[in-house]
Amino acid sequence: ALLGPQLQTGGYGSYEQFWGRFEQVQSHPLSVDAQRMAVRVIVVYSLDDRRPTAELHELILIQNDRGDLLINADHRLGATRVPSDSGGRGRGG
């Protein structure tokens, strides 16, 4: 997915600095609210060889002029359990 203007404000350098520290990142979709253009996902990440950590996030989408959906906001809703199907898909799952 592409990032919307609100999430692009930090630039690519800060994006890479944040996400580059993770050994593995996966996302697991949970629900879609089409009217609000919101998606809830579980994000599972691992630093080095540590145990994976899971967080519940709500992503707010917008649509650009070409019709592409962009992630414009990311709200961390809290920690959650790592899903049982979180094995080995790697970054961007």
Side-chain angles (χ1 to χ4, degrees):
L2 303 171
L3 298 181
Q6 186 172 329
L7 288 181
Q8 288 182 14
T9 57
Y12 184 76
S14 59
Y15 171 88
E16 181 63 31
Q17 182 179 3
F18 178 79
W19 288 107
R21 63 193 174 126
F22 298 107
E23 181 73 23
Q24 187 176 73
V25 178
Q26 301 170 359
S27 62
H28 301 266
L30 290 180
S31 64
V32 174
D33 183 336
Q35 189 169 3
R36 292 181 48 239
M37 290 186 67
V39 178
R40 286 198 176 188
V41 297
I42 295 176
V43 178
V44 179
Y45 57 90
S46 299
L47 294 165
D48 300 321
D49 288 333
R50 297 185 206 159
R51 294 181 62 140
T53 301
E55 297 178 344
L56 178 62
H57 286 250
E58 183 172 68
L59 308 177
I60 305 300
L61 307 176
I62 60 172
Q63 196 167 23
N64 67 12
D65 295 339
R66 295 188 315 241
D68 300 319
L69 292 177
L70 310 176
I71 301 171
N72 202 47
D74 178 353
H75 304 290
R76 181 186 180 276
L77 303 178
T80 189
R81 290 197 294 183
V82 174
S84 59
D85 63 345
S86 291
R89 286 195 302 180
R91 191 178 289 231

